[in-house]
Amino acid sequence: MTELFAKYFPNVVYQGWTGDGGWLPAIGQTLYMTFWSALFGGILGLIFGIGLVLTDEDGITPNRNLFGFFDKVVSLFRAIPFIILLAFIAPVTNLIVGTQIGTTAALVPLSLGVFPFYARQVQVALKSVDQGIIEAAQSVGATFSDLVFDVYLREARAELVRVTTVTLISLIGLTAMAGAIGAGGLGNMAIAYGYNRFANDTTFVATLLVLVLVLLVQLIGDVLAKIFNHKNS
């Protein structure tokens, strides 16, 4: 079996599992970029998403100016293609991280690239909360924090899990794109060690591993969404 694999995937075997250009470091770099950029971008996106809902004209704290700020920032970053964003904020990346290339440097554009998408997803999820539940909570004297954490976020848990899953899948695609221009990971493996060297088997396996990662995220997200949906019912 090993000999058969080596016959049809010689470049994959040549790359090896460890060392520079190995498969394990590439997988680790992809997971590293996905986790940390999801954390930073997710927090920022959650803040902006909640802000968009609360300060909207039908929110619990309507504020046209603040809503306009949240909306314009999110729309601005969503309008910038990720590949351009990488170059555009390179000076900021260098200021924060100390370099413009590498896996850690990619966290800055990845976080800024994913947060506006997630903010809109969170906005839609929170908007789906029944207005009657919100009004009922207000009528019994619920505080601002009660409304945010115990009503909005609690009632929208299943939907938030779904939109988080979609965002993570999108983020995995962004890490592959970042890897293609030197950030490492499976994207770098597919382009630098596969496409650029005419090693189609390397490109194929790198793509397959990305698909496996996406499917795992989708599977976990579906399971969690069903659990929270059952708790809310």
PDB file of all heavy atoms in Angstrom, residues 34-54:
ATOM      1  N   THR A  34      -6.126  29.795  11.669  1.00  0.00           N
ATOM      2  CA  THR A  34      -7.581  29.717  11.785  1.00  0.00           C
ATOM      3  C   THR A  34      -8.040  30.017  13.201  1.00  0.00           C
ATOM      4  O   THR A  34      -8.976  30.807  13.416  1.00  0.00           O
ATOM      5  CB  THR A  34      -8.090  28.321  11.363  1.00  0.00           C
ATOM      6  OG1 THR A  34      -7.693  28.037  10.018  1.00  0.00           O
ATOM      7  CG2 THR A  34      -9.605  28.250  11.463  1.00  0.00           C
ATOM      8  N   PHE A  35      -7.388  29.399  14.187  1.00  0.00           N
ATOM      9  CA  PHE A  35      -7.813  29.566  15.582  1.00  0.00           C
ATOM     10  C   PHE A  35      -7.667  31.007  16.057  1.00  0.00           C
ATOM     11  O   PHE A  35      -8.628  31.610  16.551  1.00  0.00           O
ATOM     12  CB  PHE A  35      -7.003  28.633  16.492  1.00  0.00           C
ATOM     13  CG  PHE A  35      -7.310  28.828  17.959  1.00  0.00           C
ATOM     14  CD1 PHE A  35      -8.449  28.258  18.516  1.00  0.00           C
ATOM     15  CD2 PHE A  35      -6.470  29.581  18.763  1.00  0.00           C
ATOM     16  CE1 PHE A  35      -8.743  28.443  19.861  1.00  0.00           C
ATOM     17  CE2 PHE A  35      -6.762  29.779  20.109  1.00  0.00           C
ATOM     18  CZ  PHE A  35      -7.901  29.207  20.656  1.00  0.00           C
ATOM     19  N   TRP A  36      -6.471  31.570  15.913  1.00  0.00           N
ATOM     20  CA  TRP A  36      -6.217  32.897  16.475  1.00  0.00           C
ATOM     21  C   TRP A  36      -6.943  34.005  15.718  1.00  0.00           C
ATOM     22  O   TRP A  36      -7.449  34.950  16.331  1.00  0.00           O
ATOM     23  CB  TRP A  36      -4.714  33.178  16.543  1.00  0.00           C
ATOM     24  CG  TRP A  36      -4.038  32.385  17.612  1.00  0.00           C
ATOM     25  CD1 TRP A  36      -3.188  31.335  17.460  1.00  0.00           C
ATOM     26  CD2 TRP A  36      -4.203  32.552  19.026  1.00  0.00           C
ATOM     27  NE1 TRP A  36      -2.807  30.834  18.671  1.00  0.00           N
ATOM     28  CE2 TRP A  36      -3.410  31.550  19.654  1.00  0.00           C
ATOM     29  CE3 TRP A  36      -4.935  33.424  19.819  1.00  0.00           C
ATOM     30  CZ2 TRP A  36      -3.335  31.436  21.043  1.00  0.00           C
ATOM     31  CZ3 TRP A  36      -4.871  33.302  21.196  1.00  0.00           C
ATOM     32  CH2 TRP A  36      -4.072  32.329  21.795  1.00  0.00           C
ATOM     33  N   SER A  37      -7.008  33.910  14.417  1.00  0.00           N
ATOM     34  CA  SER A  37      -7.736  34.935  13.657  1.00  0.00           C
ATOM     35  C   SER A  37      -9.238  34.803  13.897  1.00  0.00           C
ATOM     36  O   SER A  37      -9.960  35.804  13.903  1.00  0.00           O
ATOM     37  CB  SER A  37      -7.419  34.850  12.165  1.00  0.00           C
ATOM     38  OG  SER A  37      -7.639  33.551  11.659  1.00  0.00           O
ATOM     39  N   ALA A  38      -9.727  33.563  14.137  1.00  0.00           N
ATOM     40  CA  ALA A  38     -11.136  33.375  14.486  1.00  0.00           C
ATOM     41  C   ALA A  38     -11.425  33.992  15.852  1.00  0.00           C
ATOM     42  O   ALA A  38     -12.492  34.588  16.065  1.00  0.00           O
ATOM     43  CB  ALA A  38     -11.487  31.889  14.492  1.00  0.00           C
ATOM     44  N   LEU A  39     -10.484  33.862  16.775  1.00  0.00           N
ATOM     45  CA  LEU A  39     -10.651  34.419  18.112  1.00  0.00           C
ATOM     46  C   LEU A  39     -10.673  35.949  18.070  1.00  0.00           C
ATOM     47  O   LEU A  39     -11.619  36.585  18.556  1.00  0.00           O
ATOM     48  CB  LEU A  39      -9.527  33.934  19.030  1.00  0.00           C
ATOM     49  CG  LEU A  39      -9.572  34.439  20.479  1.00  0.00           C
ATOM     50  CD1 LEU A  39     -10.838  33.949  21.182  1.00  0.00           C
ATOM     51  CD2 LEU A  39      -8.331  33.990  21.235  1.00  0.00           C
ATOM     52  N   PHE A  40      -9.634  36.542  17.471  1.00  0.00           N
ATOM     53  CA  PHE A  40      -9.542  38.004  17.421  1.00  0.00           C
ATOM     54  C   PHE A  40     -10.640  38.608  16.536  1.00  0.00           C
ATOM     55  O   PHE A  40     -11.336  39.547  16.922  1.00  0.00           O
ATOM     56  CB  PHE A  40      -8.165  38.433  16.912  1.00  0.00           C
ATOM     57  CG  PHE A  40      -7.028  37.992  17.794  1.00  0.00           C
ATOM     58  CD1 PHE A  40      -5.859  37.485  17.251  1.00  0.00           C
ATOM     59  CD2 PHE A  40      -7.124  38.069  19.176  1.00  0.00           C
ATOM     60  CE1 PHE A  40      -4.812  37.066  18.061  1.00  0.00           C
ATOM     61  CE2 PHE A  40      -6.089  37.659  19.995  1.00  0.00           C
ATOM     62  CZ  PHE A  40      -4.922  37.156  19.438  1.00  0.00           C
ATOM     63  N   GLY A  41     -10.777  38.054  15.335  1.00  0.00           N
ATOM     64  CA  GLY A  41     -11.800  38.557  14.419  1.00  0.00           C
ATOM     65  C   GLY A  41     -13.199  38.281  14.929  1.00  0.00           C
ATOM     66  O   GLY A  41     -14.119  39.065  14.711  1.00  0.00           O
ATOM     67  N   GLY A  42     -13.362  37.141  15.635  1.00  0.00           N
ATOM     68  CA  GLY A  42     -14.671  36.791  16.179  1.00  0.00           C
ATOM     69  C   GLY A  42     -15.111  37.750  17.271  1.00  0.00           C
ATOM     70  O   GLY A  42     -16.268  38.165  17.316  1.00  0.00           O
ATOM     71  N   ILE A  43     -14.191  38.096  18.163  1.00  0.00           N
ATOM     72  CA  ILE A  43     -14.514  39.047  19.236  1.00  0.00           C
ATOM     73  C   ILE A  43     -14.893  40.394  18.647  1.00  0.00           C
ATOM     74  O   ILE A  43     -15.900  41.015  19.032  1.00  0.00           O
ATOM     75  CB  ILE A  43     -13.323  39.188  20.204  1.00  0.00           C
ATOM     76  CG1 ILE A  43     -13.116  37.883  20.988  1.00  0.00           C
ATOM     77  CG2 ILE A  43     -13.548  40.357  21.165  1.00  0.00           C
ATOM     78  CD1 ILE A  43     -11.862  37.865  21.844  1.00  0.00           C
ATOM     79  N   LEU A  44     -14.092  40.853  17.687  1.00  0.00           N
ATOM     80  CA  LEU A  44     -14.365  42.142  17.044  1.00  0.00           C
ATOM     81  C   LEU A  44     -15.691  42.095  16.286  1.00  0.00           C
ATOM     82  O   LEU A  44     -16.502  43.028  16.360  1.00  0.00           O
ATOM     83  CB  LEU A  44     -13.217  42.486  16.089  1.00  0.00           C
ATOM     84  CG  LEU A  44     -13.094  43.941  15.615  1.00  0.00           C
ATOM     85  CD1 LEU A  44     -12.972  44.880  16.807  1.00  0.00           C
ATOM     86  CD2 LEU A  44     -11.892  44.083  14.696  1.00  0.00           C
ATOM     87  N   GLY A  45     -15.926  41.004  15.575  1.00  0.00           N
ATOM     88  CA  GLY A  45     -17.168  40.857  14.818  1.00  0.00           C
ATOM     89  C   GLY A  45     -18.381  40.778  15.725  1.00  0.00           C
ATOM     90  O   GLY A  45     -19.446  41.327  15.405  1.00  0.00           O
ATOM     91  N   LEU A  46     -18.236  40.095  16.861  1.00  0.00           N
ATOM     92  CA  LEU A  46     -19.336  39.980  17.813  1.00  0.00           C
ATOM     93  C   LEU A  46     -19.686  41.344  18.400  1.00  0.00           C
ATOM     94  O   LEU A  46     -20.870  41.694  18.528  1.00  0.00           O
ATOM     95  CB  LEU A  46     -18.958  39.012  18.927  1.00  0.00           C
ATOM     96  CG  LEU A  46     -20.073  38.593  19.894  1.00  0.00           C
ATOM     97  CD1 LEU A  46     -21.177  37.860  19.155  1.00  0.00           C
ATOM     98  CD2 LEU A  46     -19.502  37.709  21.001  1.00  0.00           C
ATOM     99  N   ILE A  47     -18.669  42.125  18.733  1.00  0.00           N
ATOM    100  CA  ILE A  47     -18.892  43.471  19.277  1.00  0.00           C
ATOM    101  C   ILE A  47     -19.631  44.347  18.265  1.00  0.00           C
ATOM    102  O   ILE A  47     -20.626  45.014  18.598  1.00  0.00           O
ATOM    103  CB  ILE A  47     -17.556  44.126  19.675  1.00  0.00           C
ATOM    104  CG1 ILE A  47     -16.949  43.395  20.878  1.00  0.00           C
ATOM    105  CG2 ILE A  47     -17.752  45.604  19.997  1.00  0.00           C
ATOM    106  CD1 ILE A  47     -15.536  43.827  21.219  1.00  0.00           C
ATOM    107  N   PHE A  48     -19.157  44.338  17.030  1.00  0.00           N
ATOM    108  CA  PHE A  48     -19.786  45.166  15.997  1.00  0.00           C
ATOM    109  C   PHE A  48     -21.176  44.646  15.648  1.00  0.00           C
ATOM    110  O   PHE A  48     -22.095  45.439  15.402  1.00  0.00           O
ATOM    111  CB  PHE A  48     -18.906  45.227  14.755  1.00  0.00           C
ATOM    112  CG  PHE A  48     -17.885  46.324  14.788  1.00  0.00           C
ATOM    113  CD1 PHE A  48     -16.744  46.216  15.569  1.00  0.00           C
ATOM    114  CD2 PHE A  48     -18.052  47.479  14.031  1.00  0.00           C
ATOM    115  CE1 PHE A  48     -15.801  47.221  15.617  1.00  0.00           C
ATOM    116  CE2 PHE A  48     -17.113  48.501  14.072  1.00  0.00           C
ATOM    117  CZ  PHE A  48     -15.981  48.375  14.866  1.00  0.00           C
ATOM    118  N   GLY A  49     -21.340  43.322  15.609  1.00  0.00           N
ATOM    119  CA  GLY A  49     -22.644  42.752  15.288  1.00  0.00           C
ATOM    120  C   GLY A  49     -23.685  43.105  16.333  1.00  0.00           C
ATOM    121  O   GLY A  49     -24.817  43.490  16.004  1.00  0.00           O
ATOM    122  N   ILE A  50     -23.303  42.980  17.608  1.00  0.00           N
ATOM    123  CA  ILE A  50     -24.209  43.355  18.692  1.00  0.00           C
ATOM    124  C   ILE A  50     -24.499  44.848  18.636  1.00  0.00           C
ATOM    125  O   ILE A  50     -25.651  45.287  18.810  1.00  0.00           O
ATOM    126  CB  ILE A  50     -23.602  42.976  20.057  1.00  0.00           C
ATOM    127  CG1 ILE A  50     -23.510  41.454  20.201  1.00  0.00           C
ATOM    128  CG2 ILE A  50     -24.429  43.565  21.206  1.00  0.00           C
ATOM    129  CD1 ILE A  50     -22.782  40.995  21.454  1.00  0.00           C
ATOM    130  N   GLY A  51     -23.451  45.635  18.373  1.00  0.00           N
ATOM    131  CA  GLY A  51     -23.632  47.082  18.275  1.00  0.00           C
ATOM    132  C   GLY A  51     -24.600  47.479  17.177  1.00  0.00           C
ATOM    133  O   GLY A  51     -25.430  48.383  17.355  1.00  0.00           O
ATOM    134  N   LEU A  52     -24.531  46.795  16.044  1.00  0.00           N
ATOM    135  CA  LEU A  52     -25.431  47.088  14.934  1.00  0.00           C
ATOM    136  C   LEU A  52     -26.888  46.828  15.301  1.00  0.00           C
ATOM    137  O   LEU A  52     -27.783  47.579  14.897  1.00  0.00           O
ATOM    138  CB  LEU A  52     -25.047  46.244  13.718  1.00  0.00           C
ATOM    139  CG  LEU A  52     -23.812  46.700  12.933  1.00  0.00           C
ATOM    140  CD1 LEU A  52     -23.345  45.601  11.983  1.00  0.00           C
ATOM    141  CD2 LEU A  52     -24.115  47.976  12.155  1.00  0.00           C
ATOM    142  N   VAL A  53     -27.119  45.769  16.064  1.00  0.00           N
ATOM    143  CA  VAL A  53     -28.488  45.412  16.443  1.00  0.00           C
ATOM    144  C   VAL A  53     -29.021  46.338  17.541  1.00  0.00           C
ATOM    145  O   VAL A  53     -30.150  46.834  17.454  1.00  0.00           O
ATOM    146  CB  VAL A  53     -28.555  43.944  16.918  1.00  0.00           C
ATOM    147  CG1 VAL A  53     -29.936  43.613  17.480  1.00  0.00           C
ATOM    148  CG2 VAL A  53     -28.227  43.001  15.764  1.00  0.00           C
ATOM    149  N   LEU A  54     -28.207  46.598  18.547  1.00  0.00           N
ATOM    150  CA  LEU A  54     -28.666  47.399  19.680  1.00  0.00           C
ATOM    151  C   LEU A  54     -28.900  48.853  19.323  1.00  0.00           C
ATOM    152  O   LEU A  54     -29.814  49.495  19.855  1.00  0.00           O
ATOM    153  CB  LEU A  54     -27.655  47.316  20.831  1.00  0.00           C
ATOM    154  CG  LEU A  54     -27.378  45.927  21.412  1.00  0.00           C
ATOM    155  CD1 LEU A  54     -26.439  46.040  22.600  1.00  0.00           C
ATOM    156  CD2 LEU A  54     -28.669  45.238  21.820  1.00  0.00           C
TER     157      LEU A  54
END
